Amino acid sequence: MLIIPARVNTSLPAEIRKDDLMSVADWFEKHRRSFYVLGWSYVRDQQQLEELFYQIILKVQKDFPKVKRKTSFDIWATRVFIYNCRELDASGSLETSEGSDAHRELFNALDQLKGQEREALVFTYLRGLSAEETASLLQLSVIEVKELLVSGIHSLRNVLLQGEHFGGCLGYQKFYFDYLERNMERPLKIDLEKHIYHCTDCQEDLASFQEVTLQLAETLEEFQVPAGFIEGISERIAETEKRRQRKAGKRNRIAFIAASVFVLVMCTGFFTGAFADVYYKWKEEDPELRAFLRADLGERLNLEAESNGVKIKIKSVVADKYQTLIFYEIEDTKKNNKYMINYEDGVSVQDDWEIFKGQFYPQYQPPNLDSDFNKKEQNIYHGKLSLPPLKEDSGTIKLNITQMMKLPGDSSVQGIFNPYGNQDYKKGEWDFEIHADKKPSTEYKMDEEVKVEGVTVRLKKLTLSPTATILEYGINNRLPKKRLDNINFKQLEINGEELKADLYGSLASSAYNNQAQFEPFFEKHANKVKLYVDQVYLSFQDNKVVELDAQKDFPQTFEYAGSTISIEKLELGESTTIIISNHEKERSYNTLDYGVLTEEGQMHSIETGSEGVLIDKNGKEYDANTLTTKEFEKLENPRYITTEESIKIHEKNVIPKALEFYGYRASKYLDEVFEVSLN
């Protein structure tokens, strides 16, 4: 989801193993100086840089499969790093007094340069890349990069050496970079040297040019990464790796499914009945598409393709800075079946990395089977497909569809742990060329701070985009043992109009900017905004070691997180099984984070399973295994809590000594409203 999406993995350095997070951390440690200087050119705050390194290591390891084949790992990792630096820089970073006076002067001078001039210098001299590699990162030609390097050096020199005059000949200045890099063809080199020999202005000009390049190169060599910087990150990475191992197994799968289904079902029927259609001059069954057409944000296309007895019609497209939203209709011409399409699930776009912005990832669009227009025909389904935003203001999307997923006929029979039943696909070949024009968005800087559960939350920006209303905010997690992980916004109110929250997630991937997404707002201007917060997700650090003794009677109990937890049994044999339970519903945590220590003091990889219940805001319990999606979507902010957990160690002769608890996760209901005036 970074910069250039692709389907084939690049060749990894020999020391990096695909499934080993620590090997990625070790690679970054070897290159820590150049990456630290690169980060410092954007952000002058060590704590933010530490978080940057930590998040980048996680993201790089996670996104191995999405790397373009011809891209070297070094360049790809740098691209990921740069993109997140840009985001962090845009969010507003703190200037500090760290570093030498010379370094501070140089970086302050760099800050005054134009965007691409600045980055060309930073990538080439501070990161140590070649002009070709810099060109790849900036998506420019090598000639354009060399022109930027020459103009950038001149601009930087003018800032550093204010008041001094340099009068080199313009016809020869363009060769300075290649000459100093010893990369000129011999005839040109001889001609330049002859000219410089007789031209004192060019002699002084070239000397000062070289002085600035040497100052940049020396900065990379002399810059010191603060003591303990990498070590602190490595400790966090090691702890993260341990947590991943501890969470392997059924418990992790169930938690993921529960969370995914929760947001999936809450989104079903999201837009139904959103806008009045009185005196609407276009007749359109889909009320969401009708609203876009009425606001002149899209136009009718009616592109059709038929294959294997199924006809797909592209009805319209709405594009903005966040996504390209395609409205479609699928008709089974032979049977009474309904199908939907998903991006990258039998759906692709030719040369997608050239037409789309890669830092955005298309949002999954859940099916709306209960809408009136989808109930009219048994063999027709109306849906929408989210694609990444266009790079340019307009473009032609060459869409290829090779399979579609069959939908159940009645959403009332769907269970939340199996929302589509046994998945069945329809194969075929449907091709479209779709022209799209990107519509403008309106942005409002907020720069407000509010307190949520004692944690400072900075409201950064509100964007009114054609397909969504986006709130960007940052969470300042600096409390020692409490962390605010996520905020559920019930709704957002603009100029008195209520916009429902889209609980599925944000449209852009970002390690530093949290985003909340709401229904689109079709007016041009906003004055006042009200934010309604109804639920938050928290994690707490609370270390505790509970000794295990198989010789004592069970159950055994202990106190943790304000609750009495029971160890129901401990069985030894070919494998070791531990069962713990807590059936209290009014408790401070949802799930626990723990590991197992053996007599040798080692933490072993474990398989875990769990049972739990769903509890709504009013305290009523539901069985997640029998609850249908239609019943589930009526629940108000349900939370899933574990009641029983089983732990298995699949190793012979392993005797568990203790359970080591690291902390727990919790959700809390709130009823808070924050009001912000927009400029």
Side-chain angles (χ1 to χ4, degrees):
M1 299 132 32
L2 276 278
I3 308 305
I4 298 181
R7 299 178 180 83
V8 184
N9 197 10
T10 188
S11 298
L12 300 178
E15 66 268 30
I16 290 184
R17 295 174 295 280
K18 182 178 179 181
D19 297 321
D20 186 351
L21 186 60
M22 286 304 300
S23 68
V24 181
D26 292 341
W27 186 88
F28 271 92
E29 182 175 3
K30 290 181 180 179
H31 299 81
R32 63 185 180 275
R33 177 179 295 176
S34 62
F35 276 102
Y36 189 89
V37 177
L38 177 60
W40 193 261
S41 69
Y42 291 91
V43 179
R44 315 289 157 73
D45 182 81
Q46 185 174 328
Q47 185 175 14
Q48 286 183 317
L49 281 175
E50 181 177 328
E51 182 67 19
L52 173 70
F53 268 77
Y54 173 72
Q55 295 291 349
I56 290 301
I57 291 169
L58 297 181
K59 183 174 284 292
V60 165
Q61 196 267 344
K62 175 184 176 183
D63 287 342
F64 279 160
K66 300 182 178 67
V67 188
K68 193 175 180 181
R69 174 184 290 179
K70 296 181 180 180
T71 304
S72 72
F73 179 81
D74 193 333
I75 294 301
W76 176 69
T78 302
R79 180 178 287 123
V80 176
F81 194 89
I82 289 166
Y83 169 67
N84 285 274
C85 282
R86 287 170 177 167
E87 283 204 330
L88 196 55
D89 180 43
S91 68
S93 57
L94 299 176
E95 181 75 30
T96 73
S97 60
E98 297 184 44
S100 68
D101 292 340
H103 292 157
R104 287 200 300 274
E105 181 184 8
L106 176 62
F107 283 116
N108 289 338
L110 281 169
D111 289 343
Q112 299 181 45
L113 269 58
K114 298 177 182 178
Q116 287 193 321
E117 278 189 354
R118 173 179 173 272
E119 290 195 321
L121 294 179
V122 168
F123 300 167
T124 304
Y125 292 104
L126 299 186
R127 176 67 179 92
L129 302 178
S130 66
E132 290 75 13
E133 291 169 328
T134 296
S136 173
L137 290 173
L138 291 176
Q139 297 185 349
L140 299 172
S141 69
V142 175
I143 293 176
E144 289 173 319
V145 166
K146 289 180 179 180
E147 291 174 351
L148 285 172
L149 289 170
V150 172
S151 64
I153 290 293
H154 284 132
S155 300
L156 186 62
R157 182 183 62 184
N158 292 337
V159 176
L160 292 172
L161 304 174
Q162 291 183 8
E164 297 191 28
H165 175 71
F166 302 95
C169 300
L170 294 177
Y172 288 94
Q173 287 178 346
K174 61 183 178 181
F175 299 119
Y176 286 176
F177 176 79
D178 281 336
Y179 180 73
L180 294 175
E181 292 292 318
R182 300 179 180 179
N183 193 31
M184 287 188 71
E185 295 181 3
R186 183 170 176 79
L188 288 175
K189 178 175 179 291
I190 293 173
D191 180 63
L192 176 63
E193 288 177 339
K194 284 181 179 180
H195 174 80
I196 291 175
Y197 180 79
H198 293 96
C199 181
T200 56
D201 284 343
C202 282
Q203 290 174 15
E204 294 178 358
D205 194 43
L206 178 59
S208 63
F209 187 96
Q210 185 178 27
E211 181 181 348
V212 175
T213 62
L214 290 174
Q215 185 176 351
L216 284 165
E218 288 171 358
T219 298
L220 175 59
E221 295 299 322
E222 297 174 357
F223 208 96
Q224 296 297 317
V225 179
F229 177 80
I230 286 294
E231 289 75 10
I233 296 170
S234 296
E235 289 178 4
R236 293 179 65 185
I237 292 295
E239 181 61 29
T240 299
E241 187 74 350
K242 288 181 181 179
R243 287 172 182 262
R244 286 183 177 183
Q245 294 176 6
R246 291 195 297 268
K247 292 179 180 179
K250 184 179 177 182
R251 181 182 66 144
N252 202 30
R253 293 195 298 273
I254 287 182
F256 173 79
I257 292 171
S260 300
V261 172
F262 169 74
V263 294
L264 170 67
V265 179
M266 292 300 290
C267 285
T268 304
F270 173 77
F271 290 100
T272 302
F275 302 97
D277 57 355
V278 180
Y279 304 113
Y280 178 51
K281 60 182 179 181
W282 291 289
K283 183 181 179 182
E284 169 57 47
E285 291 180 281
D286 185 341
E288 183 182 2
L289 175 56
R290 186 164 65 239
F292 285 115
L293 295 175
R294 186 178 64 179
D296 292 327
L297 296 173
E299 60 182 20
R300 292 184 180 275
L301 297 178
N302 294 327
L303 305 174
E304 292 187 4
E306 187 170 351
S307 177
N308 199 15
V310 175
K311 182 190 297 182
I312 299 179
K313 178 188 293 184
I314 303 298
K315 301 168 68 177
S316 187
V317 59
V318 182
D320 59 19
K321 64 181 292 185
Y322 287 107
Q323 65 178 328
T324 304
L325 199 59
I326 295 176
F327 290 84
Y328 64 83
E329 174 187 300
I330 300 178
E331 178 184 359
D332 189 337
T333 62
K334 296 183 178 180
K335 298 181 180 179
N336 288 331
N337 294 322
K338 292 184 178 182
Y339 299 95
M340 69 173 291
I341 52 180
N342 279 330
Y343 189 52
E344 292 189 343
D345 187 10
V347 179
S348 62
V349 174
Q350 182 178 328
D351 298 330
D352 53 355
W353 60 88
E354 294 182 359
I355 190 171
F356 292 141
K357 287 186 176 181
Q359 68 264 35
F360 290 77
Y361 197 73
Q363 179 174 327
Y364 175 70
Q365 299 293 332
N368 190 355
L369 294 173
D370 290 329
S371 61
D372 291 338
F373 68 96
N374 267 329
K375 287 182 176 179
K376 289 183 178 181
E377 304 289 343
Q378 293 182 332
N379 64 329
I380 297 178
Y381 174 72
H382 302 262
K384 57 183 182 289
L385 172 69
S386 174
L387 301 176
L390 299 171
K391 279 185 178 180
E392 307 298 335
D393 290 336
S394 63
T396 299
I397 302 165
K398 296 181 179 180
L399 184 69
N400 173 251
I401 303 170
T402 58
Q403 71 174 21
M404 298 173 289
M405 187 173 70
K406 182 179 177 181
L407 292 170
D410 185 359
S411 65
S412 66
V413 301
Q414 298 170 263
I416 67 169
F417 284 108
N418 190 19
Y420 303 125
N422 295 321
Q423 290 186 356
D424 188 15
Y425 290 91
K426 187 74 170 180
K427 305 288 185 178
E429 192 72 30
W430 301 266
D431 295 320
F432 299 93
E433 288 195 7
I434 307 168
H435 179 78
D437 294 314
K438 191 159 55 175
K439 304 297 182 181
S441 301
T442 304
E443 296 183 353
Y444 294 91
K445 289 188 177 181
M446 305 178 79
D447 199 21
E448 295 275 347
E449 289 189 351
V450 298
K451 290 283 187 179
V452 179
E453 283 299 288
V455 177
T456 300
V457 176
R458 181 185 172 198
L459 306 177
K460 298 181 178 180
K461 184 169 64 176
L462 182 71
T463 302
L464 307 181
S465 211
T467 66
T469 302
I470 305 293
L471 170 69
E472 293 186 19
Y473 63 97
I475 301 176
N476 189 0
N477 277 308
R478 295 190 177 182
L479 298 179
K481 294 188 176 183
K482 177 182 178 181
R483 181 179 181 87
L484 177 60
D485 295 320
N486 193 32
I487 302 174
N488 267 6
F489 292 92
K490 181 179 181 180
Q491 65 187 34
L492 180 146
E493 184 179 309
I494 304 179
N495 298 354
E497 181 178 335
E498 295 180 355
L499 308 176
K500 296 179 182 178
D502 184 345
L503 299 181
Y504 189 77
S506 64
L507 290 158
S509 65
S510 170
Y512 306 99
N513 284 329
N514 299 80
Q515 292 187 346
Q517 181 180 332
F518 304 85
E519 289 177 299
F521 182 71
F522 292 112
E523 294 183 21
K524 297 294 184 181
H525 302 287
N527 298 319
K528 289 186 178 181
V529 173
K530 287 184 179 180
L531 299 170
Y532 294 78
V533 178
D534 60 358
Q535 192 175 25
V536 293
Y537 295 88
L538 307 159
S539 58
F540 297 85
Q541 180 184 343
D542 187 3
N543 297 94
K544 183 182 180 69
V545 175
V546 178
E547 302 293 334
L548 295 173
D549 189 347
Q551 304 302 317
K552 293 183 179 180
D553 294 335
F554 289 92
Q556 302 171 9
T557 61
F558 62 94
E559 300 296 319
Y560 183 71
S563 296
T564 300
I565 300 175
S566 175
I567 305 174
E568 299 293 342
K569 68 177 181 179
L570 169 58
E571 293 182 347
L572 306 177
E574 290 293 314
S575 62
T576 299
T577 300
I578 307 169
I579 295 180
I580 62 176
S581 68
N582 179 10
H583 293 273
E584 298 176 17
K585 305 305 185 299
E586 298 296 328
R587 67 192 199 196
S588 62
Y589 72 89
N590 295 350
T591 59
L592 299 170
D593 187 10
Y594 57 85
V596 178
L597 295 176
T598 66
E599 290 185 340
E600 294 79 16
Q602 299 174 339
M603 191 282 296
H604 279 257
S605 177
I606 59 177
E607 176 188 344
T608 62
S610 69
E611 295 181 4
V613 296
L614 281 167
I615 302 178
D616 67 13
K617 191 173 183 179
N618 299 317
K620 187 176 179 179
E621 298 179 24
Y622 300 86
D623 184 350
N625 295 305
T626 61
L627 199 67
T628 67
T629 55
K630 185 172 289 188
E631 293 170 334
F632 184 82
E633 66 181 351
K634 295 179 180 179
L635 303 184
E636 187 175 4
N637 289 337
R639 61 190 184 108
Y640 181 81
I641 67 170
T642 56
T643 55
E644 184 173 290
E645 303 202 34
S646 60
I647 308 160
K648 282 191 176 183
I649 305 175
H650 295 288
E651 297 180 46
K652 295 181 180 179
N653 303 319
V654 173
I655 301 176
K657 179 182 178 181
L659 293 173
E660 184 177 10
F661 291 88
Y662 304 95
Y664 54 91
R665 301 180 184 274
S667 58
K668 184 176 181 179
Y669 296 113
L670 300 178
D671 187 12
E672 297 188 9
V673 180
F674 302 104
E675 187 169 346
V676 180
S677 295
L678 301 176
N679 297 327

